[in-house]
Amino acid sequence: MRENWDNQHIVFFDGDCGVCNFWVQWILERDKNNRFMFASLQSDFGQKFLAERGLETKVFNTLYLWKPGHYYYIKSRAVLQIASILGGIYKLSVAGKIIPAFFSDQIYDLISRNRMKLANQKCFLPDPNQKKKFIEV
C-alpha cells in the first residue's frame, strides 16, 4: 500500500451501489491529473477510516472525500470538493458552497435513500491504469 499520499484525495464509496460505481467511473474519466484514489467503505481500509473517526461502519449511504493529513468532507461537501479539484468547468461548482450544508445534505440524503432504485447494480471492471487508483474495493 502506498505510504505517501501528499497529492492524493481518497474517495470512499459504497462498493455495492450502482449509482456510486457510476460516479466513481465518472471521476476516473475526468481525473486527468491523477488526484484521486478510491476505496469502498466495506473494505478493510474503508472500515479503518470510518472507525478511526467514530463514523458509522455498517451503513454505507455517505460519500467521503479524504485528503490524508489535512481534511475529510462528507456528503454534498465531498461532491462539491471533488468537482472543484477536477477543475475546468466543474470548478464552477464552488458556487454551490453558498448553499448551507444542512440544505444541500438534505438533497444528498434524498438521492442516497433512493439510489438503489436509480441505477442497476453494475459490475465495474477498471482498466489496468484505473485499477492502480483503487486502494481496496
Side-chain angles (χ1 to χ4, degrees), residues 19-82:
V19 171
C20 301
N21 281 294
F22 168 83
W23 285 110
V24 166
Q25 291 174 58
W26 188 89
I27 296 167
L28 278 167
E29 290 171 9
R30 288 155 182 81
D31 183 21
K32 305 302 181 203
N33 295 318
N34 293 315
R35 304 282 303 275
F36 294 98
M37 300 283 293
F38 302 89
S40 73
L41 291 165
Q42 294 91 334
S43 70
D44 290 341
F45 188 78
Q47 287 291 295
K48 183 179 177 190
F49 169 82
L50 294 170
E52 286 176 350
R53 288 155 185 81
L55 301 168
E56 174 62 54
T57 60
K58 303 286 185 220
V59 179
F60 308 115
N61 60 355
T62 299
L63 176 79
Y64 297 90
L65 175 68
W66 179 41
K67 178 147 176 71
H70 297 279
Y71 60 78
Y72 74 90
Y73 291 108
I74 66 171
K75 298 183 179 185
S76 63
R77 291 304 183 229
V79 171
L80 292 171
Q81 187 67 19
I82 289 167

Side-chain angles (χ1 to χ4, degrees), residues 19 111-120:
V19 171
I111 294 167
S112 178
R113 278 192 303 274
N114 294 291
R115 64 197 162 104
M116 296 301 186
K117 299 174 198 170
L118 295 173
N120 295 331

Side-chain angles (χ1 to χ4, degrees), residues 1-8 68:
M1 192 178 308
R2 188 187 297 193
E3 293 179 13
N4 185 355
W5 289 324
D6 289 342
N7 295 314
Q8 296 296 305

